[in-house]
Structure formats: structure tokens, C-alpha cells
Amino acid sequence: MALAYVARYATSSAKLERYLARKLRERGWAENLPPPDISALVDRYVELGYIDDEAFARAKSGSLMRRGYGNRRVDQELGQAGISSTIREDVRAGEAEQRHAALALARKRRFGPFARDPSDRDRREKHIAAMLRAGHSLDSAREMVDAASEQAALEWAHELDEELHDED
């Protein structure tokens, strides 16, 4: 069951452990048998390379950032997946990537200059609140929502691109 799960889904060691424990509870475990050592099985899969928490965290983080989520929300998702704080810190996006994520969210949800009616300031607070819930900082949310035009939002997002390329 564990092998089928790992083969089908990208997962972390903690998620696999929770899955196996839940399946054992659901299906019942014979009372006369000793409980299986789920931790040892998960450790063995990590040893074999079937599970790699850092690779999972990088993939999940990148996916969430491309969808427009900010660092705080990405960190929350990775924490729920059982990823350690040191790995979460290692995969945390830099300022340039965060700006691109804010731009992606603003485009997707039509915030700020991407709104159907950019002059409608009544929605400003709602747009900022949505960006905060998506994990962006207040400064980034304000910068994106208050951008004078789509071009200004693009320029702000791409301002730090050299920093992004220097890391590669």
C-alpha cells in the first residue's frame, strides 16, 4: 500500500506516515498481531530515495508561488505536510520570486491595475485582504493593488529580476 501511494503521489515522509496510520485505523489491525512499525517503513523509503522531503518542498513551493501564493502561505502548506523548518527555510523564495507571485495573483484574480475597473477604489481593501490571505506581505499587497497601471505593476515585479538570475 505504501509503495503504491509513493508511486502515485508526490509526498513527504510525514504525509506518508499519516496516510499509513489512517489506513491501518480504517481497515482495522488484527488484535493478536503487533502493530507495524510505520516509522521504520517510512525511514526505509527515505533511504531508498522514494521519498525526498527537500525535493517535495521545492516542487510544492514552486507550484504555489507560480499560482500566486506568498511565502507565509507556502510555509504554512509545507508545515502541514510535515516539512521541517530548516527545509522550509532553505526553499523559501527570495524577494524577486515573491514579487512575481504577487503579480501572478493580481493578474489571476484581477486585482489593482488588472481589475475590470481599476479606478474602483472601494474594492482596494478587499484586494489587499485577499493578497494578505494568500501569504503576501502588506507592502507587496499595497504595491501591487495601488500600481498606477499594468506596466507599473510589471516593472515593480521585474525590478529585482537580476537578483533572481544571479542566484541561478
Side-chain angles (χ1 to χ4, degrees):
M1 183 170 25
L3 190 57
Y5 185 81
V6 170
R8 187 168 182 182
Y9 303 105
T11 190
S12 67
S13 54
K15 282 178 70 171
L16 177 62
E17 200 163 327
R18 285 193 303 258
Y19 169 78
L20 293 173
R22 180 174 53 88
K23 286 300 181 184
L24 286 173
R25 272 192 320 275
E26 287 173 0
R27 295 182 181 181
W29 187 255
E31 291 177 19
N32 58 350
L33 294 174
D37 190 358
I38 295 173
S39 303
L41 178 68
V42 171
D43 290 343
R44 177 81 173 130
Y45 278 26
V46 168
E47 252 178 59
L48 292 170
Y50 296 161
I51 302 172
D52 183 348
D53 283 353
E54 189 169 345
F56 172 82
R58 286 191 190 290
K60 185 73 169 173
S61 173
S63 171
L64 291 169
M65 294 297 283
R66 285 187 299 278
R67 290 173 42 203
Y69 291 104
N71 269 345
R72 196 177 69 253
R73 182 73 181 271
V74 170
D75 194 57
Q76 186 179 35
E77 291 281 331
L78 293 177
Q80 288 176 349
I83 303 298
S84 72
S85 59
T86 54
I87 293 175
R88 290 194 317 249
E89 185 66 37
D90 289 345
V91 301
R92 185 166 287 134
E95 181 66 27
E97 293 168 303
Q98 290 177 60
R99 286 184 177 200
H100 285 276
L103 177 65
L105 183 66
R107 276 184 170 154
K108 181 169 95 175
R109 302 275 307 271
R110 296 179 178 243
F111 291 161
F114 301 100
R116 288 187 179 104
D117 182 12
S119 62
D120 183 7
R121 290 312 209 181
D122 294 336
R123 297 186 184 262
R124 178 182 182 273
E125 296 302 317
K126 288 183 180 181
H127 291 176
I128 288 174
M131 290 196 73
L132 292 174
R133 283 191 305 274
H136 295 285
S137 69
L138 180 59
D139 291 339
S140 291
R142 283 182 178 158
E143 195 73 40
M144 187 54 64
V145 170
D146 291 339
S149 66
E150 288 183 23
Q151 185 61 34
L154 289 168
E155 287 172 6
W156 175 78
H158 293 288
E159 204 171 74
L160 302 175
D161 279 353
E162 289 144 14
E163 179 183 304
L164 190 63
H165 296 295
D166 289 344
E167 290 174 4
D168 294 339

